[in-house]
Amino acid sequence: MKKELIFLGPPACGKGTQTSKLAEHLNFPHVDTGSLLRAAVKNQTPEGVTAESYMSKGQLVPVEVVAAIIKRRLAEPDCANGYVLDGFPRSVEQAGMLEEINKEVDKEDAEFRAVYFDIDTELLIERIVNRKSCPKCGEIYNMKFKAPKDGVHCDKCNSELTQRKDDTEEIARARFETYYKETAPLTEYYENKGVLRKIDANGSIEQVWERLLKAVND
Ligand code: AMP
């Protein structure tokens, strides 16, 4: 049966690292709205131009822009058996939109699950301002907690690491505010639907990975 997996949790809770790994493990596409939007901004498409002004303030991009991008992506053939969706939905309104999109795209019954990364939020701003990633392969690093071997280049493909424009302390604080206001209520929304799995997202990448696999398989 098709497996539709979505993930909830505050900025920098480790979702990006874990869900990329999970997508590879399950052989499903990793659909990440933040990356899709950053690509649209880089290419200055009409959607990207609109998105940029919201992203630079740590606010949610208008729902119709994100929903259009996600609808196109989830209709692609590589999503037919399942997908790992990271960063969408981010509000109750978007959750309703995802249900509509799935109805349109799904040809058969699908198993839907929302995994919530439960984490102490104290250290997350520090995680964000020290975060860098590889522009080529997407590998995520942290200059304090998981630095690349030479301090500058990706261990996997040797490209020079870059920092996201919105990974500053000021924008990170705004992103947290947006998260608590718009996205946090989704945990209750999915709990009420009986599809929520909570995992403890504190600890090492390996520890969280084990818990994630359990949550996805049980
Ligand atoms: P992320 O890479 O998931 O941290 O997302 C970076 C930024 O992209 C967010 O702060 C938002 O401005 C925007 N964004 C990503 N996903 C969504 C979404 N589902 N709805 C609205 N805006 C989004």
Side-chain angles (χ1 to χ4, degrees):
M1 196 191 291
K2 182 176 177 185
K3 238 182 184 174
E4 296 171 341
L5 303 170
I6 68 145
F7 301 87
L8 303 169
C13 65
K15 266 187 307 128
T17 302
Q18 297 288 344
T19 57
S20 313
K21 201 168 145 111
L22 183 65
E24 206 173 302
H25 178 79
L26 296 173
N27 203 19
F28 288 166
H30 179 241
V31 180
D32 162 17
T33 43
S35 298
L36 291 171
L37 287 166
R38 280 187 287 280
V41 171
K42 196 171 170 206
N43 296 324
Q44 289 289 288
T45 64
E47 284 163 344
V49 171
T50 305
E52 194 169 16
S53 59
Y54 294 88
M55 292 170 82
S56 63
K57 295 190 205 98
Q59 295 168 355
L60 292 188
V61 171
V63 68
E64 57 285 0
V65 174
V66 190
I69 291 178
I70 283 296
K71 190 171 171 181
R72 280 200 302 271
R73 185 64 189 89
L74 298 187
E76 283 179 32
D78 64 340
C79 293
N81 296 327
Y83 56 72
V84 167
L85 184 53
D86 177 8
F88 187 90
R90 253 175 152 105
S91 66
V92 172
E93 187 185 14
Q94 291 187 6
M97 286 199 159
L98 179 60
E99 281 152 32
E100 293 303 313
I101 293 170
N102 282 337
K103 255 190 236 157
E104 278 179 47
V105 171
D106 288 350
K107 295 190 177 62
E108 47 166 311
D109 283 350
E111 181 188 310
F112 183 93
R113 196 161 288 186
V115 180
Y116 171 55
F117 281 56
D118 193 6
I119 192 164
D120 296 335
T121 52
E122 272 159 50
L123 290 173
L124 296 185
I125 296 269
E126 206 188 345
R127 249 198 209 181
I128 289 180
V129 296
N130 287 296
R131 179 161 68 178
K132 285 200 178 177
S133 62
C134 174
K136 197 164 165 211
C137 74
E139 187 71 2
I140 302 166
Y141 294 87
N142 188 289
M143 304 319 275
K144 264 200 169 161
F145 312 115
K146 185 200 165 200
K149 288 198 186 85
D150 72 359
V152 181
H153 299 94
C154 178
D155 291 342
K156 281 192 171 168
C157 70
N158 210 33
S159 303
E160 190 166 338
L161 302 181
T162 53
Q163 184 167 36
R164 278 171 45 172
K165 268 192 186 160
D166 60 351
D167 274 353
T168 62
E169 181 163 351
E170 193 192 347
I171 304 176
R173 292 204 183 278
R175 284 158 59 204
F176 272 94
E177 235 175 78
T178 305
Y179 170 78
Y180 287 116
K181 200 166 138 221
E182 313 258 8
T183 313
L186 274 180
T187 47
E188 200 184 333
Y189 177 88
Y190 285 121
E191 191 147 44
N192 290 339
K193 285 183 178 283
V195 294
L196 189 78
R197 300 286 183 281
K198 269 187 203 181
I199 62 165
D200 176 2
N202 299 290
S204 68
I205 292 178
E206 291 71 28
Q207 286 168 326
V208 179
W209 171 243
E210 292 304 320
R211 296 174 198 142
L212 176 61
L213 275 186
K214 255 197 211 148
V216 167
N217 289 322
D218 76 9

